[in-house]
Structures are given as C-alpha cells and as structure tokens.
Amino acid sequence: MTPSSPSASTLAFVESPVQLLNVLEWAYARPGGQPQLDGVPRQRGRRAGGGDLPGPAAPRPAGAESPLRIVVLPPTDPMSRGQLRRVAALARDEGHEVRWQEARGSRFAPLKALAALARDVRAARTVVVGDPFSRYVQLLLTLVRAEELVVVDDGTATMEFMAQTARGERLVRWHRVGGGLPGRVRELAYAPVSATARRRFTPAAHRGHRVEVFSSMPVTAHGGMTLRVNDFAWTRARFGPPRLTKGTDLVGTSLVETGVVDPDRYLDAVRALTLEHGATRYFAHRRESPEKLRALSRATGLEIVRPDLPLELIARRGPVGRTIVSFPSTVVHTLPYALTGTGVTVAVCDVDPAWLTGSASPRARSFLAGVTDTARDVRRLPAQAAPTAG
C-alpha cells in the first residue's frame, strides 16, 4: 500500500458530525477517491424533486479504491446524534461502511466498545481520527499498529493540536482549566495512555510510521508530518450552488456552554450584530442550550435554526444569506472554502476580552484572536459592530 492510497484496511473513528464530514472530504481528496465514469470525475447534483441528499454513489470502476470503514462513537446529546445519523447516510451513499458504536452513557460502555473494536483496530493499516484530544480515541491508539495515522480536521482544535505537538507538550484542549486535586489525580492515572498517543502522533521513518494532517485550518506541518489541505471539494461537488437570500445569517457558538464567554455579554453581542446587519436567522451550534436559544429569540426576534447537518453542507445547499456573520470559530475558515464562487461574504466579529468569564482559561483570549487573525477571505467587522463593554 502506498502512503496515499486508502484500502479496505482503512479504519476511521469520528465523534462529531463535522469530523465525519471531514473524513468524507479526506476520502474524496485522496487519489482514486472521486467516483469516475470513463475516467472523468462524476459531479453529482440534486435528486429529482429537489431533495437535499446526493444521489446513489457511482459504480466504482475496476481498480478503484475500496470504501472506508467508519466507526461512529456518538456523543449523548440528541442534536449531535441526529446530525451524525444524517452525515452517516451521506457516507453510506458514497459506498462507505458505517458502524455505530456506543461508547458513552454508562459506566462500562467505553470498555465494552474498546473490546468490540480491538480486533479491527489492530488489523487496520491506516487509521483516521477526528479528535486527537479525545480520551477515548487516545485509548484506542494504544491498540493501533497501523503504518499510517491520519488526523482529519476537528475545526479550530486542530490549530492547538499542531502547536502542542510541535512543542512536544501534552495534549490539552485550549479552553480546559484545572480540575483541582481530583483532576490532577485523573491526569496522573491517565498519563501512560496520553504518552502513547503523543508517540502515535509523531512520525517515525525508521519504523515506517507516517502521520498525515488533513485540515482547512492555517497550520504548518512539522517533524515529518504530511499536511494536506481540505478545500471542501466533496461538499462543492455534491451540493449547490446555493440560492442566496437578501438577508444576513448569524452563526451561533458554544463559547457560553464551554464556560469561555459570559452569557449576558453574548446575548448583548448577538443583539448588536442583529441590529447592525439586519440579520434574520441564527444558525445554532449543536451544543447550544435550548434555554439560551429561547432567550436569544426573545431578545432579538431572530429565527432560530437548528441545522440537521454541519453548517458547511447547510450553507452550500442553501438558501443562505449573502452575508454570514460569525464569532471566531471553525466556520470562518471552512465556509470560505465551501462557498467559493457563490458570492457569499463571510464576516467575523472578534470576542471582546471583557466578554470572557472569570473561569476562562488563560489561553482563551490569544486563541480566539488567533482564529480571527488567520482566517482567509473573510471580512473583519468594524469595532463599532460589537457592543461596547462596560
């Protein structure tokens, strides 16, 4: 097997809808990944009747790459699970095998899932993961014997992953804060697993171990890693171009739910952006709480939309506003790729440091600023578009 050829022994693990979408993008971007007819890449449009999903996968010609085996390790929240099932249906339409494996929800679920997956993990020659910070993924990596490990984009977390591995640091999410003595005890007990994961993410030419990162984030390869750009070619081939509306759409964020941004400050910011830009719709992040969304709707009059697919697919299939406004998040990097050539403007509103909670991690301010500063093909909103802190 060559380093760039997926095979039947390629095994992918995903825990979110966006990770699954990016596995599909990775499979499409690899040589032989685009279904072809008579040697010409097949571009699939909408189903008859205006359906949202692409048509059945084209027959794979002789010698075409084999489909992936994708294991979905779903979270417990209903919105994430619903989106995962929809993207899983798209993956099956592409001819990939999708296995739904519960690994949460009970005390012994992780161990049962690990036992159920152990044989396949050991046999795989290429392993694809969507969240290198996931403790469950790191636990699976202790069983990996694969020649090639691929990290597909998990959004802005990929930026932190690349920075931490370049510095040789342990993998810690940027918004995570210390958990006191119990947290330190758990970290100590987990240290051997974490150390093994860091080794797996380090290429080793002498033993034929390769590491590839597939990302649309502004990251730089290091230490022998291979970097492949995710430009959302699969999404653009399968959906759209979208019909554009006259209004502006706002994109929600889970910064409140992760304890980074104060909820009242966030509500004020959304209200100000709504008035400034004449926004009519608010696309909720899958982790946003119903209580918060109801408060936003009452305060702004926005139509709250809870997408059933990742926003890149929702925006690409349309209808979508001519302007999309977001706070610093993954979409300010991914939407310009997904919406290339459509005439949609993506704008980003900085997070004022005064909006941060007292419990926000020390990294929060610089990380969020970096997400905005490195975004390509987006419009930075003028300072007066954000509410004045005070």
Side-chain angles (χ1 to χ4, degrees):
M1 182 184 70
T2 63
S4 60
S5 299
S7 72
S9 61
T10 300
L11 185 63
F13 294 98
V14 298
E15 298 175 276
S16 77
V18 169
Q19 291 171 30
L20 181 48
L21 169 59
N22 288 327
V23 167
L24 297 182
E25 293 288 353
W26 174 79
Y28 187 82
R30 303 278 271 193
Q34 301 180 28
Q36 299 188 6
L37 294 178
D38 300 324
V40 180
R42 172 168 172 152
Q43 303 291 312
R44 275 172 261 165
R46 300 180 185 275
R47 283 180 176 157
D52 295 329
L53 303 182
R60 294 179 180 268
E65 304 299 344
S66 301
L68 307 181
R69 289 177 297 152
I70 303 170
V71 178
V72 177
L73 304 166
T76 56
D77 68 283
M79 189 168 179
S80 295
R81 293 171 73 90
Q83 285 193 13
L84 270 167
R85 292 190 187 280
R86 288 294 306 277
V87 185
L90 296 177
R92 292 189 180 99
D93 279 347
E94 294 296 301
H96 302 302
E97 175 189 338
V98 181
R99 173 177 176 178
W100 192 274
Q101 178 68 58
E102 298 290 351
R104 298 171 175 85
S106 70
R107 181 178 180 182
F108 297 107
L111 294 178
K112 290 180 180 178
L114 188 66
L117 296 171
R119 182 177 179 180
D120 284 346
V121 173
R122 291 192 181 101
R125 296 179 65 186
T126 298
V127 170
V128 185
V129 300
D131 181 5
F133 293 98
S134 165
R135 289 196 167 185
Y136 194 78
V137 165
Q138 291 181 7
L139 192 61
L140 286 169
L141 289 178
T142 63
L143 305 176
V144 166
R145 300 171 181 171
E147 301 167 0
E148 182 178 38
L149 179 62
V150 179
V151 179
V152 298
D153 230 337
D154 191 30
T156 54
T158 306
M159 298 167 65
E160 195 74 343
F161 165 72
M162 294 296 279
Q164 290 178 7
T165 53
R167 296 189 296 261
E169 299 174 353
R170 66 189 183 96
L171 300 177
V172 180
R173 298 185 192 277
W174 67 268
H175 56 76
R176 187 175 175 184
V177 294
L181 180 59
R184 289 195 293 272
V185 171
R186 288 193 297 269
E187 288 295 331
L188 185 62
Y190 188 73
V193 174
S194 179
T196 298
R198 290 199 303 274
R199 287 194 297 272
R200 291 286 185 270
F201 290 124
T202 303
H206 66 280
R207 53 186 173 89
H209 176 59
R210 302 178 298 275
V211 178
E212 177 185 316
V213 176
F214 180 72
S215 176
S216 54
M217 298 296 111
V219 295
T220 302
H222 60 82
M225 286 184 178
T226 299
L227 178 64
R228 188 183 297 268
V229 175
N230 176 9
D231 64 359
F232 285 83
W234 178 83
T235 295
R236 289 184 283 110
R238 299 301 185 261
F239 293 88
R243 177 175 64 84
L244 305 187
T245 67
K246 295 181 179 180
T248 294
D249 292 329
L250 298 185
V251 178
T253 173
S254 61
L255 290 173
V256 170
E257 284 70 19
T258 53
V260 175
V261 169
D262 178 82
D264 292 332
R265 297 280 189 167
Y266 184 77
L267 189 150
D268 289 342
V270 173
R271 184 189 291 116
L273 289 170
T274 301
L275 294 174
E276 177 76 17
H277 298 278
T280 57
R281 293 190 300 177
Y282 179 95
F283 286 99
H285 189 280
R286 59 190 174 84
R287 293 198 187 102
E288 289 188 87
S289 70
E291 296 78 16
K292 171 187 167 186
L293 295 175
R294 283 194 292 269
L296 285 173
S297 179
R298 288 194 300 268
T300 64
L302 287 166
E303 175 191 355
I304 305 297
V305 180
R306 304 208 73 168
D308 59 356
L309 287 167
L311 190 60
E312 294 80 7
L313 299 181
I314 293 292
R316 183 69 196 181
R317 71 181 183 177
V320 67
R322 293 184 180 275
T323 301
I324 298 176
V325 177
S326 174
F327 295 101
S329 71
T330 298
V331 299
V332 303
H333 293 273
T334 59
L335 285 180
Y337 280 119
L339 295 172
T340 296
T342 63
V344 175
T345 297
V346 179
V348 58
C349 175
D350 285 316
V351 169
D352 191 311
W355 305 352
L356 303 181
T357 66
S359 59
S361 74
R363 281 279 292 124
R365 179 175 179 176
S366 61
F367 182 82
L368 292 172
V371 170
T372 300
D373 292 343
T374 56
R376 55 177 287 278
D377 297 334
V378 300
R379 179 162 64 93
R380 297 285 292 270
L381 297 180
Q384 63 267 25
T388 303

